[in-house]
Amino acid sequence: MTTQTRSTTKKWWALAVIAAAQFMVIMDTSIIGIALPKMQAELGFSQENLTWVFNAYVIALGGLLLLGGRLSDLLGARRVFAAGWVVLLAGSVVAGAAGNVATELAGRAIQGGGAALIAPSALTLLMMLFGSSPQELTKALAVYGAAAPAGGTAGVFLGGVITEYISWPWVFYINVPIAILALIAVPLLMPAAPARSGSVDVLGSVTVTAGLAAAVYAIVQAPEVGWASGQTWGVLALSAALLAGFVYIQSRRNEPLMRLGIFRAPNLAAANIAQLLLGAAWVPMWFFLNLYLQQVLGYSAFPSGAALLPMTTLIMLGMVVLAPRAMQRFGAKPMIVTGLLVLGVGLAIMSLVRPTGNFWVDVLPASLVAAGGMSLAFIPSLGTAISAARPEEGGLASGIVNVSYQVGSAIGLAAMTAVAAAFGADQTGDLPELTNGFSAAFLGAAVIALAGAGITAAIMRSPAPEGAAAKV
């Protein structure tokens, strides 16, 4: 084997580890889905607060991603990537061993902090390895992108197997051996980058994380305390003030956590908006589809996870086989708009679920349509967002696009939880009321996806199809 062949082989093995990292980051958002009812019973979560098992992870992840991207640019992506695995391992142990609500949420937040280091550094490493070849970059992004939905649905399936045949703490302990293997692989496969001088904006990171947490808390609690209550609007005002403070801090610092001028890069803002609304539509669908399968159709943990495997298979095939070819022919904008439209149609069909429904009529067709939309939109919006920035800001661009998707996921889930509760999903055991609530959440997510298609069509520039692979 020649030196060049060995180098090429090593590069693609490195991509496998990077894709595995993306798989794990997303899997940790979904693997808890099937385990939620048992965690609720054993740890004492209320129905309304159960979403915090998801949100504690996503808020920490979304709020700290910019810091992770900045650290990746300053300290080197390989160092930050390895550190993220260590933190994720520690959080997984805490979450698995938790005996009460507070400890469980703390463990989930630590996991999210580890993921916030892994995600942007993984994308930076991918760009370092493949950025010089547009054709290879398109293939690498397709593999990386497919790992996200694969991790999401594989998490549901694994969560079902683990919850059914072992016990719910193992949905967290499964991360431990995977993290150890990743830490062994990092120094063998990943390219090193020298550290750069610069400061870290800790105040900005704390401000944006607190602002996001306050917004999600206000939306989640609103159905219980009332949308017109002083608490709801007071916390929303606090969130707005914190996020405005974050923008002000960034505008005043010489070395901000997020350089505001980066959004002047063509299509970077548009691609991030598309990712935000994609997450806001997709994640609520996954969350409430799990609950519909278990609480309405009466599926146990394992069948509930298996029910989503067709959707996962379609997404992976779409991202790896269809999306790269379609991008080369049509360009990013038509792909994103079409994908969001198809996702919205799938969610609208899913809103027709019935309390006396079944998998073949109420779940499978709609989930496949939605999966087709996701597979079309995800890769072009992700690729546009990370390739629009300057090379030296690759970590920041990776952090921003991950923030966009995770913030969209958290806010979208919180909002659709409020919608579902308002339409009856808080009536545990009443199948018609539960179904009405879940249907309303699916319809709300459809509106988000369709709005995303309209906004993208309005604000994204259309590059020429020829050479689109290089642009995305």
Side-chain angles (χ1 to χ4, degrees), residues 118-471:
I118 291 171
S121 57
L123 267 176
T124 302
L125 289 167
L126 185 149
M127 294 299 291
M128 290 171 64
L129 288 164
F130 299 98
S132 60
S133 169
Q135 185 176 6
E136 286 190 348
L137 178 60
T138 299
K139 293 179 181 178
L141 283 173
V143 173
Y144 177 88
T153 308
V156 175
F157 181 75
L158 287 173
V161 173
I162 291 169
T163 304
E164 184 89 3
Y165 298 110
I166 309 177
S167 62
W168 68 260
W170 282 93
V171 301
F172 304 113
Y173 292 148
I174 192 176
N175 291 344
V176 174
I178 297 173
I180 292 171
L181 290 174
L183 287 168
I184 294 171
V186 167
L188 300 176
L189 298 174
M190 297 302 167
R196 293 166 42 202
S197 61
S199 61
V200 177
D201 181 10
V202 177
L203 178 60
S205 181
V206 171
T207 304
V208 70
T209 303
L212 173 62
V216 174
Y217 179 82
I219 296 170
V220 169
Q221 294 296 113
E224 184 175 340
V225 302
W227 281 100
S229 71
Q231 174 182 317
T232 298
W233 288 101
V235 178
L236 285 174
L238 174 63
S239 171
L242 287 167
L243 294 175
F246 169 72
V247 173
Y248 176 78
I249 292 168
Q250 302 313 289
S251 69
R252 304 295 293 179
R253 287 191 179 264
N254 292 327
E255 295 186 80
L257 185 66
M258 181 179 72
R259 186 179 66 84
L260 299 179
I262 194 174
F263 288 102
R264 288 195 291 269
N267 281 337
L268 187 141
N272 276 279
I273 291 172
Q275 279 275 309
L276 184 146
L277 295 174
L278 194 60
W282 179 260
V283 169
M285 183 212 72
W286 159 80
F287 185 84
F288 287 105
L289 187 55
N290 276 317
L291 293 181
Y292 175 75
L293 288 167
Q294 292 185 73
Q295 296 181 1
V296 177
L297 298 188
Y299 281 30
S300 61
F302 179 78
S304 183
L308 301 184
L309 286 179
M311 180 171 65
T312 303
T313 303
L314 179 60
I315 292 176
M316 292 183 67
L317 288 174
M319 287 192 178
V320 175
V321 178
L322 176 62
R325 296 176 182 176
M327 281 192 292
Q328 289 178 355
R329 181 172 181 179
F330 300 109
K333 179 178 177 178
M335 292 279 292
I336 299 169
V337 172
T338 301
L340 285 165
L341 283 173
V342 173
L343 175 58
V345 170
L347 288 166
I349 297 171
M350 197 174 291
S351 71
L352 303 177
V353 290
R354 302 164 297 162
T356 57
N358 63 73
F359 168 76
W360 300 104
V361 174
D362 295 81
V363 175
L364 183 61
S367 68
L368 292 179
V369 173
M374 180 66 165
S375 67
L376 292 175
F378 188 84
I379 298 297
S381 54
L382 174 69
T384 301
I386 64 173
S387 62
R390 301 191 304 234
E392 65 270 20
E393 292 185 316
L396 174 59
S398 301
I400 291 172
V401 69
N402 275 286
V403 166
S404 298
Y405 186 83
Q406 298 301 335
V407 167
S409 299
I411 298 296
L413 179 59
M416 292 308 103
T417 298
V419 169
F423 281 84
D426 57 346
Q427 303 298 316
T428 306
D430 188 325
L431 295 189
E433 291 294 327
L434 279 173
T435 306
N436 285 341
F438 298 158
S439 174
F442 293 140
L443 190 58
V447 171
I448 292 172
L450 295 174
I455 292 170
T456 303
I459 68 174
M460 181 171 278
R461 301 178 188 177
S462 296
E466 182 67 28
K471 291 178 171 58

